[in-house]
Amino acid sequence: MTQPIVQMTMTRDELFLLEDLIPIWTEHADGFVFMLDNCTDGTYEFLMDNKEKYNILGVLTTGLKDEDHRQENLIRQTLFNEARKFTGKITCLDTDEYFDGQMSKDDLHLFMDEHPNIATFLRWVQYTDTDKVRTDGPWLGAAQDRFCNYTVPIEFMDKQRHAEHIPRNGLKTQRLEIPGLWISHLQWLDVPTVAVKQYYWKVTDYVTNLLTGVDIVECKAYDESVNDFNWTTVDVPCPLKVSPDIYKKVKLEETYKYKEIKKLIKQYDVPNLGDWGMNIHE
């Protein structure tokens, strides 16, 4: 019998997304391993209650407090090592993503069987509504590493933040194009939510550099991503599999990213790094 496809996902306080996304994820995964980072919203309980239903093979926790140092590649390596206990066929998705396309799970199995030890990139499609996606700035043709069939030991490259999603150090890479399979990304569905998310990265990068001196992503990269919310979109024939109002299930001011922004600004006297006129900083 072929090895199962196991999806690994890191998450924090995104239960409102998990509830809708896990059923979709089962279309391209046989089982799941999770890494929870200081979740307080019932994520752990939900995953344990649905362990058999969704074949959840492992639920790990970082064991870190908010103020603790995080080395992302080491956290991802721990999650990857857990997934490797069950298979070499590993996929990775963030909580606000899912796979879509013409490829079925059986097709994905066959593709991975035929391409061992080749890290595969997929188009990263940015939905702004049920049937609209962004094509401005860096988003036309953007791609991300998302799966590989591993038969050899491997480790993530050393990176404190914004690490690879799957380890690919020394491996060949390839890109699978639409309409075969792609990543549907939800973050741009709600403007206030994505503004907070992008500003959270600005603030936490700033504080990380302040405390450790590590290289960080420059603010202009986030500005290019946001593009002052002047987006160019096109209609697509593959509608979202979730409600475009999914982010309205939670109050933005109660999310951990919003609270963390406010805490860090006060704690480290963070200057306004440019919040696109959304009044997040104040």
Side-chain angles (χ1 to χ4, degrees), residues 114-131:
E114 294 176 344
H115 299 83
N117 301 314
I118 302 178
T120 302
F121 283 68
L122 301 176
R123 283 280 303 276
W124 201 22
V125 179
Q126 314 295 317
Y127 278 84
T128 63
D129 206 338
T130 299
D131 56 359

Side-chain angles (χ1 to χ4, degrees), residues 184-201:
S184 295
H185 195 199
L186 309 181
Q187 73 167 1
W188 305 103
L189 289 174
D190 186 75
V191 167
T193 298
V194 76
V196 165
K197 180 179 180 180
Q198 296 297 308
Y199 198 66
Y200 166 84
W201 289 117

